[in-house]
Amino acid sequence: MIEHVWTVLCARSVIDQETNNISLFEVLEQLNLQMSPPSADAFTVPMSFEVVTLWSRGSDGQPARGRARVVTIGVSGSRREAQPYDIDLTTFQRIRNRTRFMGFEVQRAGRMEFGIELQGEDAEPWRRVATVPLVIVFEAAPTVN
């Protein structure tokens, strides 16, 4: 069985070649956009970021395989799925995945979510194992005198 350990949204991450430890930079919890909210249509925020997830073998320690994906749920409820990726825990106890995004759509201020979904080896139904929120705030641009 595969266990979800944690998921973090960050601007970037770096894996140390000697220790294989990962460093997460600029963890994202809230995004303050200095602009007026969009009038009606969604627009793309041109910002690169990563969704970093750590997976582990279950409590039984048995090797396992599966697939995972990141599902972006917009403030208005729109849903987009990232390309699924394989989780192979047959050799190692843990595995990390970094899903990179080059932007995302925003419709209005509020809470958007990044859902982490898992599918077992036998093509069982996808199931949500974690949800990471990102709050979108629109702020008036500072005035210049």
Side-chain angles (χ1 to χ4, degrees):
M1 182 172 150
I2 298 172
E3 286 185 357
H4 171 265
V5 180
W6 51 256
T7 295
V8 176
L9 285 112
C10 62
R12 66 186 180 95
S13 63
V14 175
I15 297 174
D16 184 284
Q17 295 300 317
E18 290 182 25
T19 64
N20 196 34
N21 288 329
I22 190 166
S23 295
L24 306 176
F25 296 95
E26 299 179 49
V27 172
L28 302 173
E29 300 166 344
Q30 178 171 308
L31 183 60
N32 299 321
L33 301 173
Q34 292 191 350
M35 60 181 287
S36 299
S39 55
D41 296 331
F43 70 98
T44 300
V45 176
M47 178 183 123
S48 62
F49 65 99
E50 299 177 6
V51 177
V52 184
T53 301
L54 177 66
W55 301 96
S56 175
R57 288 183 184 176
S59 58
D60 60 3
Q62 294 296 316
R65 290 177 191 246
R67 294 175 2 130
R69 65 184 178 193
V70 178
V71 177
T72 306
I73 300 135
V75 174
S76 65
S78 62
R79 177 184 163 101
R80 288 196 169 187
E81 298 169 1
Q83 183 68 34
Y85 59 89
D86 293 330
I87 301 171
D88 185 350
L89 293 168
T90 56
T91 304
F92 301 106
Q93 296 287 326
R94 296 176 312 282
I95 190 169
R96 286 184 301 258
N97 180 266
R98 298 186 291 175
T99 303
R100 292 189 172 102
F101 289 84
M102 298 308 293
F104 58 94
E105 284 192 359
V106 172
Q107 300 88 1
R108 62 179 186 263
R111 175 185 162 127
M112 64 181 302
E113 297 179 338
F114 293 84
I116 310 304
E117 296 184 349
L118 175 66
Q119 182 182 53
E121 193 170 19
D122 299 325
E124 57 198 44
W126 289 96
R127 64 183 172 94
R128 177 77 47 94
V129 294
T131 302
V132 180
L134 178 64
V135 177
I136 307 297
V137 176
F138 289 95
E139 298 178 339
T143 57
V144 178
N145 292 332

